[in-house]
Protein backbone atom coordinates (compact mmCIF):
# COMPACT_ATOMS: atom_id res chain seq x y z
CA UNK A 1 0.00 0.00 0.00
CA UNK A 2 1.23 3.50 -0.80
CA UNK A 3 1.89 6.02 1.91
CA UNK A 4 -0.40 9.02 2.23
CA UNK A 5 2.18 11.61 1.12
CA UNK A 6 0.35 14.28 -0.85
CA UNK A 7 1.83 15.47 -4.13
CA UNK A 8 0.67 18.32 -6.33
CA UNK A 9 -0.01 16.48 -9.58
CA UNK A 10 -3.16 17.84 -11.17
CA UNK A 11 -5.80 15.36 -12.24
CA UNK A 12 -7.11 17.39 -15.18
CA UNK A 13 -9.89 15.51 -17.03
CA UNK A 14 -8.96 17.16 -20.35
CA UNK A 15 -5.33 16.04 -20.04
CA UNK A 16 -6.37 12.60 -18.83
CA UNK A 17 -9.18 12.12 -21.37
CA UNK A 18 -7.72 8.85 -22.66
CA UNK A 19 -7.33 7.44 -19.14
CA UNK A 20 -10.85 8.59 -18.27
CA UNK A 21 -12.25 6.84 -21.35
CA UNK A 22 -10.50 3.63 -20.36
CA UNK A 23 -11.83 3.89 -16.81
CA UNK A 24 -15.38 4.43 -18.03
CA UNK A 25 -15.05 1.41 -20.31
CA UNK A 26 -13.70 -0.67 -17.43
CA UNK A 27 -16.58 0.50 -15.25
CA UNK A 28 -19.08 -0.79 -17.81
CA UNK A 29 -17.17 -4.03 -18.29
CA UNK A 30 -17.04 -4.62 -14.54
CA UNK A 31 -20.81 -4.21 -14.34
CA UNK A 32 -21.07 -6.80 -17.08
CA UNK A 33 -18.81 -9.20 -15.20
CA UNK A 34 -20.89 -8.82 -12.05
CA UNK A 35 -24.07 -9.51 -14.03
CA UNK A 36 -22.45 -12.55 -15.67
CA UNK A 37 -21.58 -14.00 -12.26
CA UNK A 38 -25.04 -13.25 -10.90
CA UNK A 39 -26.51 -15.05 -13.92
CA UNK A 40 -24.16 -18.04 -13.44
CA UNK A 41 -22.63 -17.63 -16.89
CA UNK A 42 -19.72 -19.64 -18.26
CA UNK A 43 -16.54 -19.35 -16.19
CA UNK A 44 -14.30 -18.87 -19.23
CA UNK A 45 -16.40 -15.95 -20.51
CA UNK A 46 -16.42 -14.36 -17.05
CA UNK A 47 -12.64 -14.63 -16.72
CA UNK A 48 -12.10 -13.30 -20.24
CA UNK A 49 -14.17 -10.22 -19.42
CA UNK A 50 -12.48 -9.82 -16.05
CA UNK A 51 -9.08 -9.88 -17.79
CA UNK A 52 -10.32 -7.11 -20.11
CA UNK A 53 -11.34 -5.01 -17.09
CA UNK A 54 -7.96 -5.55 -15.48
CA UNK A 55 -6.12 -4.55 -18.67
CA UNK A 56 -8.22 -1.39 -19.03
CA UNK A 57 -7.47 -0.40 -15.43
CA UNK A 58 -3.75 -1.04 -15.90
CA UNK A 59 -3.63 1.04 -19.06
CA UNK A 60 -5.48 3.90 -17.36
CA UNK A 61 -3.01 3.81 -14.47
CA UNK A 62 -0.02 3.83 -16.80
CA UNK A 63 -1.53 6.76 -18.71
CA UNK A 64 -1.85 8.69 -15.46
CA UNK A 65 1.79 7.92 -14.58
CA UNK A 66 2.80 9.04 -18.08
CA UNK A 67 0.96 12.31 -17.56
CA UNK A 68 2.82 12.83 -14.28
CA UNK A 69 6.13 12.28 -16.08
CA UNK A 70 5.13 14.82 -18.72
CA UNK A 71 4.20 17.37 -16.05
CA UNK A 72 7.58 16.85 -14.37
CA UNK A 73 9.44 17.28 -17.65
CA UNK A 74 7.50 20.44 -18.49
CA UNK A 75 8.24 21.86 -15.02
CA UNK A 76 11.96 21.18 -15.45
CA UNK A 77 11.98 22.80 -18.91
CA UNK A 78 10.35 25.95 -17.53
CA UNK A 79 12.63 26.09 -14.47
CA UNK A 80 9.88 25.19 -12.02
CA UNK A 81 9.92 22.61 -9.27
CA UNK A 82 8.41 19.32 -10.54
CA UNK A 83 5.07 18.53 -8.86
CA UNK A 84 6.29 15.07 -7.82
CA UNK A 85 9.70 13.53 -7.26
CA UNK A 86 11.08 10.89 -9.62
CA UNK A 87 11.27 8.52 -6.65
CA UNK A 88 7.59 9.01 -5.88
CA UNK A 89 6.64 8.43 -9.54
CA UNK A 90 8.72 5.27 -9.54
CA UNK A 91 6.95 4.07 -6.39
CA UNK A 92 3.54 4.76 -7.99
CA UNK A 93 4.59 3.02 -11.20
CA UNK A 94 5.76 -0.06 -9.33
CA UNK A 95 2.49 -0.15 -7.39
CA UNK A 96 0.71 -0.65 -10.72
CA UNK A 97 2.94 -3.46 -11.91
Amino acid sequence: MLDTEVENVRMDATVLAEALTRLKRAHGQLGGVIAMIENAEDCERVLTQLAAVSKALDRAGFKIISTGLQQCQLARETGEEPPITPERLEKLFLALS
Side-chain angles (χ1 to χ4, degrees), residues 55-77:
K55 187 173 184 177
L57 291 173
D58 288 345
R59 286 180 181 247
F62 291 130
K63 182 62 179 173
I64 292 169
I65 293 290
S66 172
T67 300
L69 287 170
Q70 291 170 359
Q71 286 185 0
C72 288
Q73 181 63 33
L74 181 61
R76 284 189 194 97
E77 289 174 0

Side-chain angles (χ1 to χ4, degrees), residues 7-11 15-16 59-78 80-94 96:
E7 298 287 350
N8 188 23
V9 177
R10 291 183 49 229
M11 297 296 291
V15 173
L16 293 173
R59 286 180 181 247
F62 291 130
K63 182 62 179 173
I64 292 169
I65 293 290
S66 172
T67 300
L69 287 170
Q70 291 170 359
Q71 286 185 0
C72 288
Q73 181 63 33
L74 181 61
R76 284 189 194 97
E77 289 174 0
T78 59
E80 297 175 19
E81 185 69 25
I84 189 169
T85 65
E87 295 81 15
R88 182 72 176 148
L89 270 175
E90 178 181 15
K91 191 174 198 177
L92 293 169
F93 175 80
L94 292 173
L96 291 173

Side-chain angles (χ1 to χ4, degrees), residues 23-34:
L23 289 170
K24 287 178 180 180
R25 185 177 304 131
H27 183 264
Q29 287 173 316
L30 184 56
V33 169
I34 292 168

